Structures are given as structure tokens and as C-alpha cells.
Amino acid sequence: MSYRQMNTSNRENTTTITHFILLGFPSSPEMQLLYFGLFSTTYILTLTGNALIACAVLLDRRLHTPMYILLGNFSLLEMCYVSTTVPNMLANFLSTSKSISFLSCFAQFYFFFSFGYDECFFLCAMAFDRYLAICRPLHYPHIMTKQMYTGLVISGWSFGFIVYLSPVILISKLPYCGPNIIDHFLCDPVPLMMLSCSEDTITQFLYSTFNVIFITGTFLFVLCSYALVILAVLKMPSTASKHKAFSTCASHLTVVTLFYGPVNMMYVSPGSGHPEKMQKLITLFYSVVTPLCNPLIYSLRNKEMKAALRKIFSVEQSLHKI
């Protein structure tokens, strides 16, 4: 019997649940410890890598340009993004109950997806910045002013929290009367809606439509921006200019692909009813692996960023010698 059938049959004789059980990755205690060590290392490396990018942008005056300011904020956002889920996942590896309260579950749901939507906004802003810089170089200083990129940064940090408030409220208002087991490592909206006692098709439809419109819309905006950028780069007479522009765009496009690829599979694809194991693997990729890769992608393919990072490490070595 499915969760949906069980919920429908039990709606009359059970009370509202107060907590959920996140199954995570069921395995032996030894494997749980192995997972804990692996994801702890991944989490530390993710925080360290993104913190270095943010510090490089903050400390190196040569990086005080709209492109790098947006990148620095994006790295800070990545740190917040992984911190909404990974610490709780690590705690569950060492826990036998794997319990999370109703309020904590929906708080995690809200912050995780709000930061995710903020990432979509920043990827759009970064694509727009590259479009202006390469396709409209003469107009760039007049359009991408300090007020403009400051507004983009403020909007980027607040956008997801405003936009995603409605879906969270709608799903949290659904009746939950048991069972309370979520076969996932985080409070994902689809398993949560499946645990509801009543099949609210309106909420499901609004949530699905909301995701399709926003995720597809931002993805198409980014693709169109870079398509125009690539066309402009191909027309450049200088080989050196082409190489630099392509190198910068390649970094952005790689990050966009790593993020939007699995997100589209989970929340936009018509056949998104993936098995539970597949859902967890896809979510793990865009919530843990992608934030780890982003600092490497941006630092390894960007000369200015590599120079700034070398400067930070040289200062640290000098301080250690003192």
C-alpha cells in the first residue's frame, strides 16, 4: 500500500503529526560512519573553497568589478545553501532516531529552496552582466553602474525568500496525520505532499506550475544571454579577446549546466516521478556536489581569480613565518 493510500485511509483516526523521520541513506552503522566522514570532508571543502572566492573578491581591489562582486556574493550564497541541509544530514548519520520537528522541516524546506531560487537569480544576473560587457561594451559603464549591481545583489539575496514564501505556506497548511517517514535526506516538497492526508490537486498544480515557469524562465534567460555572447565573441577580430571571453563564459556555462541539469530533471521534467533512490542521488548532486565544484571551476579557469588566491596564500604564509 502506498503512502498516499495509507494517508487517505488513516485521515479520520489519527492526530496531526509533530515531527518527521528522514530516512536518508539507510545502511549499516559502519557505512553511516563512512558517509559521515565523506560528507563532512565535502562540506568543509565546499565552505573553504567558496569562502576563499568571497575573500579574494573582498580583498583584491582588481576584483571590485560587477562580474566578481556578483561571483563573490554567489559564493557566499553557496555557503548558506549547503548549510541548510548538510549539517542536519551529518547529524542523522550519527543518530538512531533521524527525527526532525515539523517546524524545523518546513524551515529547512523554506531556506533550502529560497537560497536555490536566489542562485537562479544570481546566475541570471551574471549572464546579464556578461551580455552587457561583451555585446554592449560601450554602454556597459552607463548601465552596470554601482547602483545597478548593488540593486542586483540586494534583489538576489531577497528574491527567493519573497517568492518562495507562498509555496511553503500552501504545503505546510496541508493536513498531515501519518505516516511521517520521508525517504529522503532533506524535507523535499514532493515527499511532503505525498504524506498529506488529503490529495490537494490545486496545491500540487500550483507548485508544479510555479517551478516550471520560474526554473524554465530563468534557464532560458541564461541560455539566450550566452547565445548572444557567443555570437558576439565569434565576431571579435582578436584571438586573445576571443579566448578570454570564451574562458569566462565557459566557467559560467559549466556552473549553469551543473545546477540546472539535475534541477530540471527533478522539478520540470514531465516524467519527474523518479524512484526514491534516484531522487536522492539527483538532489545530492545539485545540493552537495555542485557547490563543491563551483569554486574549482571559477578559480582554475580565471587568471585574475588565480592571482588573487595566490596573493591570499602568500599573505598567510608570511603571517605564519612571523
Side-chain angles (χ1 to χ4, degrees), residues 43-322:
Y43 182 53
I44 292 170
L45 290 174
T46 301
L47 293 182
T48 303
N50 283 286
L52 285 172
I53 297 290
C55 288
V57 173
L58 178 66
L59 299 175
D60 196 322
R61 295 186 62 85
R62 293 173 299 177
L63 302 184
H64 290 182
T65 62
M67 182 182 80
Y68 290 109
I69 289 171
L70 290 171
L71 174 58
N73 278 274
F74 184 76
S75 295
L76 290 174
L77 183 60
E78 290 277 54
M79 296 169 67
C80 297
Y81 180 63
V82 296
S83 296
T84 59
T85 57
V86 176
N88 184 74
M89 180 173 66
L90 294 175
N92 281 345
F93 285 136
L94 304 179
S95 170
T96 54
S97 66
K98 303 185 186 300
S99 174
I100 183 170
S101 70
F102 187 92
L103 182 61
S104 297
C105 185
F106 276 92
Q108 184 192 70
F109 170 24
Y110 174 60
F111 283 105
F112 177 69
F113 283 91
S114 294
F115 283 130
Y117 271 47
D118 285 343
E119 288 202 5
C120 293
F121 186 94
F122 267 103
L123 289 173
C124 286
M126 293 160 77
F128 177 64
D129 175 73
R130 289 302 84 204
Y131 164 77
L132 288 177
I134 295 173
C135 300
R136 298 288 185 268
L138 298 178
H139 298 91
Y140 182 81
H142 306 290
I143 298 175
M144 193 56 71
T145 60
K146 185 176 181 179
Q147 291 77 13
M148 179 66 172
Y149 66 74
T150 300
L152 288 173
V153 169
I154 294 172
S155 299
W157 279 99
S158 57
F159 179 79
F161 290 96
I162 297 171
V163 171
Y164 215 78
L165 193 59
S166 297
V168 172
I169 292 175
L170 283 173
I171 297 174
S172 67
K173 294 298 182 183
L174 294 174
Y176 294 95
C177 53
N180 64 341
I181 298 173
I182 302 175
D183 191 6
H184 216 307
F185 62 87
L186 56 81
C187 291
D188 190 79
V190 176
L192 280 170
M193 285 189 285
M194 290 300 296
L195 289 180
S196 173
C197 301
S198 62
E199 191 169 0
D200 192 331
T201 55
I202 295 176
T203 298
Q204 293 176 14
F205 174 77
L206 290 174
Y207 172 75
S208 300
T209 304
F210 183 82
N211 276 335
V212 169
I213 291 174
F214 179 79
I215 295 173
T216 305
T218 54
F219 184 50
L220 289 176
F221 180 88
V222 172
L223 286 184
C224 291
S225 298
Y226 282 115
L228 294 172
V229 166
I230 291 171
L231 289 175
V233 170
L234 291 174
K235 296 178 183 177
M236 289 180 177
S238 171
T239 304
S241 299
K242 282 184 180 181
H243 178 75
K244 183 176 181 180
F246 269 128
S247 179
T248 303
C249 292
S251 300
H252 288 288
L253 282 172
T254 303
V255 171
V256 167
T257 303
L258 288 173
F259 181 77
Y260 274 105
V263 166
N264 277 315
M265 289 177 63
M266 277 292 292
Y267 302 108
V268 178
S269 172
S272 58
H274 304 291
E276 284 78 4
K277 288 184 179 180
M278 182 61 69
Q279 288 182 20
K280 284 190 277 190
L281 288 175
I282 295 173
T283 306
L284 189 69
F285 188 86
Y286 72 77
S287 64
V288 178
V289 178
T290 300
L292 172 66
C293 295
N294 288 352
L296 295 173
I297 294 168
Y298 282 118
S299 60
L300 292 177
R301 297 188 62 88
N302 190 294
K303 291 182 180 180
E304 290 84 358
M305 184 59 67
K306 285 192 286 187
L309 290 172
R310 279 196 295 267
K311 186 176 179 181
I312 291 176
F313 285 119
S314 64
V315 170
E316 288 183 354
Q317 290 174 356
S318 300
L319 291 174
H320 284 306
K321 289 179 180 179
I322 295 173

